[in-house]
């Protein structure tokens, strides 16, 4: 009997082994292998590195934008100072011109009779003659009309001259300032750069058809307008011969 039991044991062991599930590699609690865990950890590390890089880039970009805004502010302030300085220089130049003119008059005759009088309907101011036309023309037509009168559209050099024109002009009128292209520079009729400005607002108007030309309103401030579409009165200027 003992021999029979011993001979049957191998069969029982084989049967029990057949009932067991097949063995797999090392798994975790949820059936994950150690290789799966390694990939997850690696993905997590890469994600953290990318997030850190995004944060660093955002901080750097913010600093660059702040610095750019600061530089723009400094440039704007410098431009204001330069413009103010040029305006003051233009005022001084006009004052000197007026003084020299007065001295010339005093040396020659002591009164205005020593200078060639301005034409009829023209007004005299500090050595220049001014004609205020009420004809509504384009900017080009207005300048041609001034040239026919041996003058040009008025060039305003300082506040003193501006005050004289403001006290005399009756309606919006063309002046001799124009802009070369929508984003170009402003020039007077003699190709000089303005040293005195009297814009209608702090910013120039760039929303008009180019080229743009300047008008002076009856209250003295300037605005730009389409040179050929607009029709306004105009102011001519010519030097007085002494």
């Amino acid at each position: 009997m003992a021999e029979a039991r011993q001979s049957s044991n191998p069969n029982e062991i084989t049967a029990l082994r057949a009932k067991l599930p097949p063995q797999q590699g090392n798994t975790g609690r949820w059936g994950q292998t150690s290789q799966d865990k390694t990939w997850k950890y690696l993905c997590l590390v890469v994600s953290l590195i990318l997030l850190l890089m995004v944060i660093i880039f955002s901080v750097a970009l913010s600093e660059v934008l702040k610095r750019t805004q600061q530089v723009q502010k400094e440039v704007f302030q410098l431009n204001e100072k330069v413009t103010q300085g040029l305006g003051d220089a233009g005022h001084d130049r006009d004052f000197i011109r007026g003084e020299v003119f007065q001295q010339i008059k005093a040396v020659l005759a002591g009164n205005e009779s020593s200078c060639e009088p301005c034409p009829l309907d023209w007004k005299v101011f500090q050595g220049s003659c001014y004609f205020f036309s009420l004809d509504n023309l384009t900017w080009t037509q207005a300048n041609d009309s001034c040239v026919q009168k041996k003058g040009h559209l008025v060039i305003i050099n300082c506040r003193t001259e501006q005050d004289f024109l403001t006290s005399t002009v009756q309606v919006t009128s063309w002046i001799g300032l124009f802009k070369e292209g929508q984003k170009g520079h402003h020039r007077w009729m003699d190709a000089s750069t303005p040293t005195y400005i009297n814009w209608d607002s702090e910013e120039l108007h760039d929303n008009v058809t180019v080229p743009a030309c300047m008008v002076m309103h009856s209250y003295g401030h300037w605005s730009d307008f389409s040179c050929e579409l607009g029709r306004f009165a105009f102011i001519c200027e010519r030097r007085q011969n002494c």
Side-chain angles (χ1 to χ4, degrees), residues 7 18 20 23 31 40 59 101 118 125 141 151 160 181 198 201 203 210 218 223 233 241-242:
S7 61
L20 293 175
Q23 294 184 355
K40 287 188 176 181
V59 173
F101 175 72
C118 293
F125 179 76
Q141 292 171 341
T160 304
N198 194 34
S201 62
E203 297 182 359
V210 294
S218 58
S223 296
N241 295 323
C242 296

Side-chain angles (χ1 to χ4, degrees), residues 102-110:
Q102 295 296 332
Q103 292 296 327
I104 292 175
K105 289 198 300 182
V107 170
L108 292 177

Side-chain angles (χ1 to χ4, degrees), residues 58-106:
S58 299
V59 173
L61 180 60
S62 177
E63 291 298 324
V64 170
L65 292 176
K66 288 181 180 179
R67 180 56 183 166
T68 301
Q69 292 175 351
Q70 181 65 26
V71 171
Q72 290 177 341
K73 182 178 179 180
E74 293 175 356
V75 170
F76 177 77
Q77 292 175 346
L78 179 61
N79 183 62
E80 283 190 332
K81 291 181 180 179
V82 171
T83 301
Q84 182 63 36
L86 291 175
D88 294 340
H91 182 273
D92 294 340
R93 181 184 64 183
D94 188 74
F95 176 78
I96 294 173
R97 185 183 73 173
E99 289 296 318
V100 171
F101 175 72
Q102 295 296 332
Q103 292 296 327
I104 292 175
K105 289 198 300 182

Side-chain angles (χ1 to χ4, degrees), residues 73-194:
K73 182 178 179 180
E74 293 175 356
V75 170
F76 177 77
Q77 292 175 346
L78 179 61
N79 183 62
E80 283 190 332
K81 291 181 180 179
V82 171
T83 301
Q84 182 63 36
L86 291 175
D88 294 340
H91 182 273
D92 294 340
R93 181 184 64 183
D94 188 74
F95 176 78
I96 294 173
R97 185 183 73 173
E99 289 296 318
V100 171
F101 175 72
Q102 295 296 332
Q103 292 296 327
I104 292 175
K105 289 198 300 182
V107 170
L108 292 177
N111 54 51
E112 291 186 355
S113 62
S114 61
C115 297
E116 178 182 333
C118 293
L120 185 64
D121 296 331
W122 289 61
K123 296 183 180 297
V124 61
F125 179 76
Q126 291 189 351
S128 290
C129 301
Y130 299 87
F131 179 72
F132 297 83
S133 175
L134 297 178
D135 295 334
N136 291 323
L137 303 176
T138 66
W139 188 86
T140 302
Q141 292 171 341
N143 187 61
D144 290 342
S145 178
C146 291
V147 171
Q148 292 176 1
K149 296 177 176 61
K150 299 181 180 180
H152 53 76
L153 285 173
V154 64
I155 297 175
I156 306 172
N157 293 307
C158 66
R159 167 58 65 179
T160 304
E161 186 177 14
Q162 176 67 62
D163 291 342
F164 161 73
L165 296 173
T166 303
S167 65
T168 309
V169 71
Q170 300 177 6
V171 295
T172 298
S173 303
W174 290 119
I175 60 177
L177 187 63
F178 63 95
K179 181 168 55 178
E180 300 172 331
Q182 189 171 7
K183 298 294 183 180
H185 299 289
H186 289 78
R187 302 286 183 188
W188 287 111
M189 296 300 304
D190 60 359
S192 63
T193 302

Side-chain angles (χ1 to χ4, degrees), residues 186-226:
H186 289 78
R187 302 286 183 188
W188 287 111
M189 296 300 304
D190 60 359
S192 63
T193 302
T195 57
Y196 167 79
I197 55 176
N198 194 34
W199 302 120
D200 195 30
S201 62
E202 294 182 358
E203 297 182 359
L204 303 184
H205 304 285
D206 291 327
N207 57 345
V208 298
T209 305
V210 294
C213 299
M214 306 301 120
V215 296
M216 184 180 75
H217 300 288
S218 58
Y219 49 87
H221 288 175
W222 310 348
S223 296
D224 54 7
F225 207 88
S226 171

